[in-house]
Amino acid sequence: MKIGSLDLGERPLMLAPMEDVTDRSFRLICREQGADMVYSEFVSADALIRNINATTRKLTIDERERPVAIQIYGREVEPMVEAAKIVEQAHPDILDINFGCPVKKVAGKGAGAGMLRDIPKLIEITAAVVKAVNLPVTVKTRLGWDHNSRVIVTLAEQLQDVGIAALTVHGRTRSQMYTGEADWEMIARVKENPRLVIPLIGNGDITSGARAREAFDRYGVDGVMVGRAAIGAPWIFREMRAAVNGEADSIPVSEATMFALIRRQIEESIDRIDEYRGILHIRRHLAASPLFKGIPNFRPVRIAMLRATTRAELMQILDHIETAILPALK
């Protein structure tokens, strides 16, 4: 699959952009584990223009994580164009536009998935950004605002016509948020449109190697984007790559490898920010990680793990889980 001149190979797997999740360290780990391309956290066009430090830091790229996309969002043409030009100076491989974020603080203000209520404006912004930069411009969006306005088949054509190089579709409407099941039949309809010639990337409920393989085999997408299933589990890309390549439905990753990757995330989060805030940042990964799911009577340990405020305390709890709790279950 190619996006512009960027060749991602056959059946690429991508790490979805996720706020407070896809920082530089996590992106690099996911690349090492088999992700073919990774995306930054959401970058607010307005905050970028105002030179807000927390936002400009999101533009920092580690050369080892390439290919990498930086994703921006906004609701007005001029700020989006100005932000796109700033992003271009960070030299990502791709500039992605977010028309899919459903959360109230973004969509409720007309950005992200909120743009699905104003398709002419959405197209105007996209066309202006495409013209403003020399990078390949891609779009990530949803089926529509709600069940009665699932416009994605037509919208895909319109976006292609103004010059985007690839399209990612999350198989839900904004009204669904993350509830219910992603509608992959609707994603397939987009792909089956003979007018659509740009690559189509499918997103939504890709939680296993089997699901990733089905997305390619049954629904015909060119690429697959993995979001929430990767939180606290960057090794999922290794498992998915094996399944997509037909090697196995699942290649298990050792507990030792999983713990090593979790510890690395903690260390790098602390080194990047500081001890207290770095641990706060990593709690989302710890809370979501399948490494700790299904352990009997785990609640007190889980609470202690998520309340730890120092590196030493958190590492001690992880050591106890790995060397005492899990071995006792075998």
Side-chain angles (χ1 to χ4, degrees):
M1 185 187 95
K2 286 188 175 182
I3 300 178
S5 61
L6 180 64
D7 191 344
L8 297 174
E10 294 295 321
R11 297 187 162 196
L13 301 169
M14 304 171 183
L15 173 67
M18 292 178 282
E19 182 65 12
D20 294 326
V21 173
T22 54
D23 57 74
R24 185 176 60 204
S25 168
F26 186 63
R27 297 195 306 262
L28 179 57
I29 291 172
C30 287
R31 282 284 289 128
E32 294 171 354
Q33 291 298 305
D36 295 292
M37 188 166 76
V38 293
Y39 286 67
S40 72
E41 300 172 77
F42 313 153
V43 176
S44 163
D46 292 336
L48 192 56
I49 292 167
R50 295 199 306 272
N51 201 30
I52 304 299
N53 285 337
T55 300
T56 57
R57 281 198 297 267
K58 294 179 182 180
L59 303 186
T60 304
I61 293 171
D62 186 321
E63 289 298 313
R64 296 171 294 171
E65 68 179 283
R66 293 186 184 277
V68 58
I70 292 178
Q71 187 187 74
I72 61 174
Y73 72 90
R75 60 182 181 180
E76 300 296 340
V77 175
E78 292 304 321
M80 285 289 281
V81 166
E82 188 174 346
K85 292 177 179 178
I86 295 171
V87 168
E88 188 171 30
Q89 300 308 306
H91 305 295
D93 298 284
I94 286 170
L95 172 63
D96 191 66
I97 304 177
N98 180 329
F99 292 137
C101 180
V103 299
K104 187 175 181 179
K105 69 177 183 179
V106 175
K109 295 179 180 179
M115 291 302 308
L116 290 166
R117 291 187 291 183
D118 190 348
I119 300 301
K121 187 72 159 294
L122 184 157
I123 297 299
E124 183 184 5
I125 288 173
T126 306
V129 170
V130 168
K131 291 178 182 177
V133 297
N134 292 318
L135 293 167
V137 175
T138 60
V139 163
K140 185 174 188 290
T141 190
R142 289 182 168 234
L143 304 180
W145 176 256
D146 56 26
H147 183 76
N148 296 320
S149 59
R150 297 193 297 173
V151 297
I152 189 59
V153 175
T154 301
L155 178 59
E157 285 190 28
Q158 293 173 292
L159 289 166
Q160 176 178 264
D161 290 346
V162 296
I164 69 167
L167 173 66
T168 301
V169 177
H170 181 104
R172 290 180 173 87
T173 64
R174 188 276 171 177
S175 296
Q176 285 181 275
M177 301 291 287
Y178 295 103
T179 63
E181 293 185 1
D183 187 347
W184 278 82
E185 296 291 344
M186 195 74 181
I187 295 175
R189 284 182 55 191
V190 179
K191 181 59 184 175
E192 290 163 1
N193 180 0
R195 279 210 66 230
L196 193 76
V197 297
I198 58 172
L200 178 67
I201 302 157
N203 175 230
D205 298 344
I206 301 297
T207 56
S208 67
R211 293 297 295 269
R213 188 171 60 200
E214 180 186 37
F216 289 112
D217 292 345
R218 179 176 176 182
Y219 300 107
V221 293
D222 301 292
V224 165
M225 186 173 283
V226 182
R228 289 172 292 165
I231 302 175
W235 53 82
I236 198 170
F237 287 101
R238 187 189 302 187
E239 299 172 350
M240 287 183 175
R241 174 48 61 198
V244 168
N245 288 351
E247 297 170 13
D249 286 337
S250 177
I251 300 295
V253 177
S254 70
E255 285 179 359
T257 297
M258 295 178 188
F259 272 99
L261 290 173
I262 290 292
R263 288 190 180 94
R264 176 179 165 189
Q265 282 188 253
I266 294 167
E267 295 285 359
E268 292 183 357
S269 181
I270 290 171
D271 291 345
R272 183 173 59 89
I273 313 173
D274 57 47
E275 185 172 51
Y276 180 71
R277 290 182 300 158
I279 289 172
L280 287 180
H281 172 74
I282 213 66
R283 282 178 181 170
R284 184 170 181 181
H285 291 270
L286 295 173
S289 181
L291 185 54
F292 310 114
K293 295 192 184 302
I295 302 176
N297 306 311
F298 188 66
R299 188 169 184 271
V301 179
R302 176 185 173 85
I303 290 172
M305 179 175 66
L306 297 179
R307 286 180 176 173
T309 56
T310 68
R311 183 196 318 243
E313 182 184 7
L314 185 51
M315 291 302 184
Q316 184 178 29
I317 293 170
L318 290 176
D319 289 344
H320 177 64
I321 296 169
E322 184 178 15
T323 62
I325 294 178
L326 290 179
L329 300 176
K330 297 174 182 177

